[in-house]
Structures are given as structure tokens and as C-alpha cells.
Amino acid sequence: MKITALLLMMLALLQGCASSSDDEFMCGSVASYITPPSADNLYRVVVTHLDGQAVISRPYYKLTAGKHTFTLAELIESPELKVKLAARQTKKLDIVVEREQRYHLAAELKVDKTYTGLNSDYWKPVVWKQTSYECVFTDKMG
């Protein structure tokens, strides 16, 4: 009887180890390749940094679950935008990536007032859409 209980306990521990190992291969995705609806004052962005490291912008980033920080540059093309070129600065967005989810990034143009000159507060980075996404790393490098 003790041997059976011991075997069951060891089996449970091994399954726990297997699932945590499988978790290492689970991931989520953050994307900027879909053009968001400009009717909602949403515009495309370009990723310049991921978790503090400079990156070459890609359509999407396959990431481990957890918090990731994106630095984004907006691509707003709107006649309502009256700020100077120097005001068009990057902004950061923290995203808590969940397994098998895809987060779509955008720049939201604020239309609560007219922004002019060097006022860089005219936009904010947002996740405009979240969808299910089957995502598995094929190896530990992603």
C-alpha cells in the first residue's frame, strides 16, 4: 500500500515537472502589422525597442508569457495633427503577455483638444485588439 502511494506521488511530481517544462515552450505574440481603424483615431506604430533592447521592426514578436516593455514610434497621418516634427517622440507600453494570446499595437491620436507646437501628449500607445493565437516555441531560442 505504501509503495502504491509512493508511486502515485512520484508520478504526480513527474507530471508537474513535465507541464512546467512544456510551459517553457508556450508563448504569446505582440503584433503591429495590421492597420488599425483610423475612424477610431488609431494608427500604425513601429517597434524600436523591446525590453530595453533595440530591435529591427518585425510584423510580430513571439514572446514568453510575462511583462514586456515596447518602445514605439507612431505613424499618424492625420490633417488634425498640428505638432512640430520634434514633438513626434517614442513612447513606452508595458504589456503582460499571456500564453496563446496576440496583442495588436496602435497609436491612439488624442482628439480631446488641438495639440500644437512641441506638445508630445497628442498620442498614446495602446493595445487595440486582443485575439487567441496558437503559439509554441519550437526550441528554447524561440
Side-chain angles (χ1 to χ4, degrees):
M1 189 70 154
K2 286 184 179 184
I3 294 177
T4 304
L6 183 61
L7 286 173
L8 286 174
M9 188 169 77
M10 290 178 66
L11 181 61
L13 286 172
L14 287 173
Q15 285 178 331
C17 291
S19 65
S20 67
S21 175
D22 290 345
D23 286 350
E24 291 177 18
F25 295 99
M26 301 302 290
C27 55
S29 173
V30 176
S32 61
Y33 65 90
I34 295 177
T35 301
S38 59
D40 294 336
N41 298 309
L42 297 172
Y43 297 86
R44 294 200 53 203
V45 293
V46 173
V47 177
T48 63
H49 291 76
L50 172 56
D51 294 331
Q53 299 295 315
V55 294
I56 296 172
S57 190
R58 294 187 276 170
Y60 69 94
Y61 298 85
K62 193 186 287 190
L63 301 166
T64 57
K67 181 180 170 185
H68 295 278
T69 302
F70 288 81
T71 303
L72 307 170
E74 50 83 4
L75 299 175
I76 297 173
E77 294 181 26
S78 172
E80 288 81 29
L81 187 55
K82 309 278 189 223
V83 297
K84 293 183 178 186
L85 191 56
R88 298 184 88 155
Q89 301 173 0
T90 60
K91 296 194 177 185
K92 291 184 179 181
L93 178 65
D94 290 331
I95 300 174
V96 178
V97 174
E98 296 176 9
R99 294 178 0 186
E100 299 195 349
Q101 292 294 302
R102 176 169 278 169
Y103 304 85
H104 297 273
L105 304 177
E108 181 180 346
L109 177 62
K110 296 180 183 180
V111 293
D112 58 335
K113 66 179 187 177
T114 302
Y115 293 89
T116 60
L118 295 175
N119 189 338
S120 63
D121 195 37
Y122 63 93
W123 75 284
K124 67 179 181 178
V126 297
V127 172
W128 71 276
K129 184 177 181 180
Q130 182 177 339
T131 57
S132 292
Y133 170 70
E134 190 172 322
C135 181
V136 178
F137 285 121
T138 54
D139 59 32
K140 292 190 180 193
M141 297 304 287

